Amino acid sequence: MKNIVILISGSGSNMAAIVQAAQADHWDKRLDARISAVISNRPNALGLAFAKSQGIATAVVEHTAFATERQPREAFDAALMTTIDTYQPYLVVLAGFMRILTPGFVAHYAGRLVNIHPSLLPAFTGLHTHERALQAGCQFAGATVHRVTTELDHGEILAQAVVPVLAGDTAETLAERVLAQEHVMYPRVVAQLLTRG
Ligand code: GAR
């Protein structure tokens, strides 16, 4: 059985979309895969309750607990890796996981670590992507699923979803339109990775 571990920081709607796709499409039987755990760096992440309600194991590794250490990022990532590896993941899926990962973490999961980013990469890496797309006068926006490398929001592009920017759009309305497409795209890409590797 291929184990999928999903990392979240907030509402977890992409994680929920993947979980629902796995249920609806019977990934356990068709792809020999299951969502084994949902892990958050924030104890109050809304998505944790959803995961629990679906009978999925959850864990919290709080990044704030490492704030006093000399190398907090490395220490946090080491703790996170220990928790993730309990589930022997075939794939680690970042779904709104708002932490920059260390090279050691990325290397440890090389080839099995993917992320979704709310822009048409390579445009608008980093934060506030929708505001920046609107400010730049873009006529199209979207989201990208990519493999994770040590460079933030870079790495092989696996899929992109494109939406139009409409007159009167705010960052919120645009984010909503993009997010709806993320929910379609991300489960599809994960399913493809489970079949093709
Ligand atoms: C999504 O739009 C995702 O693309 C974005 O955060 C949102 C999470 O929503 N990710 C990033 O910005 C990563 N840098 P969700 O928690 O409801 O899935």
Side-chain angles (χ1 to χ4, degrees):
M1 183 70 85
K2 294 170 184 155
N3 295 308
I4 304 165
V5 172
I6 306 182
L7 306 190
I8 65 168
S9 294
S11 56
S13 68
N14 275 293
M15 173 273 296
I18 294 167
V19 168
Q20 282 160 348
Q23 290 167 350
D25 299 339
H26 305 286
W27 287 5
D28 52 344
K29 296 195 180 66
R30 282 189 41 245
L31 303 176
D32 193 34
R34 62 171 171 220
I35 320 296
S36 303
V38 171
I39 301 172
S40 174
N41 62 313
R42 295 187 182 278
N44 54 356
L46 283 178
L48 289 171
F50 172 82
K52 276 185 199 147
S53 77
Q54 302 303 301
I56 298 170
T58 61
V60 174
V61 183
E62 281 191 74
H63 63 276
T64 51
F66 301 88
T68 54
E69 309 227 0
R70 215 157 50 87
Q71 292 194 302
R73 227 175 253 293
E74 284 73 11
F76 168 70
D77 279 12
L80 186 59
M81 278 191 260
T82 302
T83 305
I84 293 172
D85 287 348
T86 315
Y87 299 97
Q88 300 184 314
Y90 177 86
L91 210 55
V92 177
V93 175
L94 308 180
F97 186 67
M98 305 305 279
R99 298 289 305 166
I100 292 173
L101 297 163
T102 55
F105 184 98
V106 173
H108 185 69
Y109 298 108
R112 46 191 181 130
L113 185 59
V114 292
N115 180 44
I116 191 162
H117 181 75
S119 80
L120 295 172
L121 292 173
F124 308 124
T125 59
L127 297 174
H128 310 301
T129 54
H130 303 304
E131 286 91 331
R132 289 157 62 205
L134 289 174
Q135 272 164 19
C138 293
Q139 297 189 352
F140 293 92
T144 303
V145 179
H146 64 99
R147 291 193 191 275
V148 176
T149 61
T150 48
E151 202 177 343
L152 181 68
D153 299 330
H154 281 68
E156 181 193 353
I157 291 173
L158 299 172
Q160 291 189 307
V162 181
V163 304
V165 174
L166 302 179
D169 258 342
T170 62
E172 288 71 31
T173 58
L174 184 55
E176 212 175 296
R177 192 172 312 118
V178 171
L179 192 60
Q181 294 309 311
E182 293 184 35
H183 296 162
V184 177
M185 171 171 59
Y186 213 1
R188 275 191 196 151
V189 176
V190 172
Q192 279 168 8
L193 290 170
L194 292 166
T195 45
R196 284 199 249 125

